[in-house]
Amino acid sequence: YQRRVFFFFFFFFFIVAAMLWLVGIAALVGSLMWWFKPQRKAGALSRQFFRAEGFVLPLVGHRGARMPADPSQAGRYSTPGNCLCGFDHAVKHGARGIELDTRLSKDGVPVVIHDHTVDSVLDGSGLVEEMTVEEMKKIPYKHNRAERLLTLEEALQFAVEHDVFVLIESKERENQAAMVRAICALCAKYNLFEKVVMITFVWRTVYLASVYDPRLRTCLLLRRGLLQSQHKSGAERFSILERIFFPVTDWVLYNFAVLFARYTECDMLGYHAIELSPALISNLHQLGFLVNAWVVNSQAEKEFLRAQGVLVTTDFCFDC
């Protein structure tokens, strides 16, 4: 019995010490990042960038905007995402901005597509990184055979013609530097640094953008409870150690991410809508970040978040 008590307290204090160590390391790194923090880059992202009406920011069409093909079939749309008809649908219904996803093709051209394969949207199959632009453009969309895959340049030309801003989500994991260079080159070519924000979950991409060309606005996408959500499904129970360790580790990682965003002069932070609270939004605003929420399709949620000064990304732009 005494041995069991000894080991219990030993492991308990070990876990506590490990947590304090993590918190201490995060505090030290944060202090160093703050101390060596570079000067704020010129022309930082502001509400004027999005042509805000006072405190309220406009809506953004998620992958353009989509229209239900049949109200009785949830998840079915007549306008596929990341295509010209979706962007046009968003603009016609009053959206002032569009969000899109981009990856590099085999020949190094940024194309507008979400997945790492073409299978889900095009009437064909294959990895984006193993196909050239010419090969992908020969394949029609599944749900709209008149459409062809867009290059990022074609999407930005649409933005110029319709005078809308663009949130470009970089999905590139391998050739991050090449993607940053390509986006910066297109922004310079069409004079779009004042209308483009590059968004990404990849920290290194944000860092590379801050180093390569500070004119490119950036948004780091974050998830809270990442370790807990990826470790086990909600149906399975956590052990006592997991219940203690994961929340603390997630807290450290989350706060480190915010410090990293400040250090790299990230302009905006993006969250899933369910993770945002008035307190968190207010705190991020005080730190100098704009806040983006995805994907918000409820009218009540849109109104609530926009009243908090959040840039809302939505699938449906009927009420923009």
Side-chain angles (χ1 to χ4, degrees):
Y1 174 77
Q2 290 178 341
R3 184 177 296 178
R4 287 198 299 268
V5 171
F6 170 78
F7 280 114
F8 173 79
F9 281 104
F10 174 80
F11 282 113
F12 175 79
F13 285 113
F14 175 79
I15 294 299
V16 171
M19 291 177 183
L20 292 175
W21 173 258
L22 286 172
V23 172
I25 291 295
L28 176 62
V29 172
S31 300
L32 291 173
M33 291 172 69
W34 182 263
W35 183 262
F36 294 106
K37 181 176 179 290
Q39 295 296 315
R40 187 73 180 173
K41 61 190 177 188
L45 194 61
S46 67
R47 298 182 187 284
Q48 287 70 36
F49 180 94
F50 297 111
R51 302 178 190 173
E53 297 176 357
F55 191 63
V56 178
L57 295 169
L59 290 175
V60 181
H62 181 233
R63 305 179 196 171
R66 288 178 276 183
M67 183 171 57
D70 184 345
S72 65
Q73 298 181 14
R76 298 274 303 190
Y77 304 102
S78 63
T79 52
N82 285 321
C83 67
L84 202 59
C85 62
F87 300 150
D88 188 59
H89 180 74
V91 171
K92 285 181 178 177
H93 286 84
R96 297 189 201 169
I98 55 175
E99 183 268 353
L100 56 84
D101 307 286
T102 185
R103 294 177 179 273
L104 291 176
S105 65
K106 182 180 179 180
D107 43 352
V109 178
V111 292
V112 182
I113 190 168
H114 181 274
D115 297 346
H116 67 286
T117 70
V118 302
D119 303 36
S120 61
V121 291
L122 301 184
D123 193 13
S125 62
L127 294 171
V128 175
E129 62 182 14
E130 294 180 356
M131 301 176 71
T132 64
V133 172
E134 184 179 358
E135 290 171 338
M136 287 185 279
K137 277 190 170 290
K138 291 179 180 178
I139 309 173
Y141 272 87
K142 287 181 178 179
H143 304 298
N144 187 343
R145 301 189 68 83
E147 288 277 348
R148 291 296 186 273
L149 189 74
L150 290 174
T151 63
L152 180 59
E153 182 168 9
E154 291 169 336
L156 292 180
Q157 288 173 346
F158 174 90
V160 171
E161 292 170 4
H162 293 82
D163 193 24
V164 293
F165 63 86
V166 188
L167 305 186
I168 302 174
E169 181 174 353
S170 170
K171 293 289 187 180
E172 192 61 41
R173 298 279 177 170
E174 301 298 329
N175 300 315
Q176 299 162 26
M179 176 62 80
V180 169
R181 288 194 297 268
I183 293 174
C184 288
L186 289 172
C187 287
K189 180 178 180 179
Y190 294 99
N191 193 26
L192 282 175
F193 283 110
E194 296 299 319
K195 289 188 177 180
V196 164
V197 180
M198 184 190 71
I199 65 178
T200 181
F201 283 101
V202 184
W203 293 20
R204 184 169 181 267
T205 303
V206 171
Y207 171 74
L208 290 172
S210 70
V211 173
Y212 184 76
D213 195 333
R215 292 178 298 172
L216 180 62
R217 273 55 176 223
T218 55
C219 170
L220 181 62
L221 302 176
L222 298 175
R223 285 196 180 104
R224 305 191 76 169
L226 186 60
L227 288 178
Q228 299 175 72
S229 64
Q230 291 191 347
H231 181 66
K232 289 185 177 180
S233 67
E236 298 184 37
R237 301 178 65 181
F238 289 100
S239 70
I240 293 177
L241 291 180
E242 288 170 340
R243 290 178 186 178
I244 297 173
F245 179 73
F246 282 162
V248 174
T249 308
D250 273 323
W251 180 86
V252 171
L253 290 174
Y254 170 75
N255 284 278
F256 182 77
V258 174
L259 287 170
F260 171 83
R262 293 204 68 175
Y263 178 77
T264 55
E265 297 297 336
C266 192
D267 299 284
M268 185 164 63
L269 294 178
Y271 296 82
H272 195 284
I274 61 174
E275 297 176 344
L276 286 171
S277 66
L280 176 59
I281 294 168
S282 176
N283 181 48
L284 293 173
H285 283 165
Q286 290 175 12
L287 290 172
F289 296 110
L290 287 184
V291 182
N292 172 231
W294 84 89
V295 173
V296 187
N297 291 331
S298 160
Q299 181 61 19
E301 280 187 291
K302 290 179 190 177
E303 293 176 358
F304 171 77
L305 290 169
R306 294 181 76 192
Q308 303 290 322
V310 174
L311 182 70
V312 171
T313 301
T314 179
D315 283 327
F316 308 119
C317 293
F318 301 112
D319 46 13
C320 289

